[in-house]
Amino acid sequence: MLSTRLVASQKFLVFERPDLDKIQGEQSISRESGLIGVDALIIGSVTEFGRSTTGKSGFLSATKVQTAHAKVEIRIVDVRTGYVFFTGSGTGDATTESGEIAGFGSKAAYDASLNDRAIGAAISDVQNALVSKLEERPWRTDILKVNGRQLYISGGLRQGLKVGDTLAILQQGERVKSGQTGFDITLPPRTIGQVRVVSLFGDNETDEGAVAQIISGEVSDAQRSGLYISEIRE
């Protein structure tokens, strides 16, 4: 359910992981392999689930209410370090009611759809917080090619780029190990210039890109591996 909603939001590239063995099995048959690494893994489970049935009976009438309750807990893991940088939980309930008067009306059997509806409501409860946390991370992309004063970069319309956008050219900071935590820490990047998007290309989110004109700074094709493009944040 969560994967479907993240894809439908058109804000993320979502890659299959739970059934990865099936994909790898098919690739071994076709002798092709093009698996792509991801920035973060979303891990979670249903941690609470229960159902109850309540009702009231009178002289000529009776009602029965079936209720399902679910709770989901998720965490987002940075795949480079294994660091869990977000945790969240959501709860949801779903009910169905039936009744009859003097022998007329509906009699509700076990409603299996309540389970999915309750879990779906729990996912909706936590989904906005998850999306907000992912969107806090600054957008960045790589330089595909340098052609004089023009750069070809990954990402286009579906990633929010528009002709006229101004972006920063950043040099990746040095990675050093912290003696306190044991983590590798990337030092702050250095801004070496800016570019302006002049055109977009590509047919879908996997092959789209942009052509950007350098408006300040110098970039050579030899040094592009240590550089990246990022949005400018105030």
Side-chain angles (χ1 to χ4, degrees):
M1 288 181 187
L2 182 57
S3 295
T4 299
R5 295 181 187 196
L6 291 178
V7 171
S9 74
Q10 299 184 337
K11 295 178 179 289
F12 310 99
L13 294 179
V14 180
F15 293 84
E16 181 62 52
R17 287 299 181 265
D19 293 321
L20 186 59
D21 57 332
K22 297 178 183 177
I23 297 174
Q24 292 173 323
E26 190 63 29
Q27 288 181 340
S28 67
I29 296 173
S30 62
R31 297 183 180 178
E32 293 184 1
S33 179
L35 291 177
I36 296 175
V38 299
D39 299 312
L41 288 174
I42 301 175
I43 302 171
S45 59
V46 178
T47 56
E48 290 180 14
F49 185 80
R51 289 182 65 116
S52 63
T53 301
T54 59
K56 294 187 296 184
S57 297
F59 178 66
L60 294 175
S61 65
T63 59
K64 183 165 100 172
V65 178
Q66 297 181 49
T67 301
H69 170 79
K71 180 180 180 180
V72 297
E73 296 189 13
I74 62 172
R75 57 193 186 276
I76 310 178
V77 183
D78 187 313
V79 297
R80 293 178 303 163
T81 63
Y83 175 64
V84 178
F85 64 89
F86 174 78
T87 62
S89 63
T91 58
D93 297 279
T95 61
T96 186
E97 183 175 344
S98 62
E100 60 178 73
I101 299 176
F104 296 95
S106 60
K107 293 185 177 181
Y110 182 86
D111 187 350
S113 70
L114 278 182
N115 300 354
D116 289 343
R117 285 159 51 195
I119 295 171
I123 290 175
S124 295
D125 189 35
V126 75
Q127 181 179 347
N128 289 339
L130 180 150
V131 170
S132 295
K133 189 63 180 180
L134 289 173
E135 289 185 329
E136 284 179 6
R137 303 188 122 191
W139 179 87
R140 59 178 287 177
T141 191
D142 58 323
I143 300 173
L144 301 173
K145 183 179 180 180
V146 180
N147 183 20
R149 297 291 291 177
Q150 284 191 333
L151 304 182
Y152 294 87
I153 64 175
S154 296
L157 184 64
R158 294 166 185 81
Q159 293 192 31
L161 288 185
K162 304 183 298 297
V163 172
D165 283 350
T166 300
L167 305 169
I169 309 171
L170 298 175
Q171 185 172 50
Q172 183 74 47
E174 182 185 357
R175 290 179 65 83
V176 296
K177 183 179 286 294
S178 167
Q180 180 192 44
T181 66
F183 281 104
D184 285 336
I185 297 177
T186 301
L187 301 181
R190 182 169 64 93
T191 301
I192 65 168
Q194 291 186 350
V195 297
R196 180 175 292 117
V197 177
V198 296
S199 63
L200 306 172
F201 61 88
D203 299 321
N204 56 61
E205 60 269 17
T206 63
D207 71 355
E208 66 180 4
V211 181
Q213 187 75 28
I214 298 175
I215 56 178
S216 68
E218 298 290 335
V219 178
S220 67
D221 201 53
Q223 69 179 148
R224 68 181 175 86
S225 61
L227 305 178
Y228 65 91
I229 303 295
S230 179
E231 61 185 316
I232 299 174
R233 290 196 166 185
E234 298 296 335

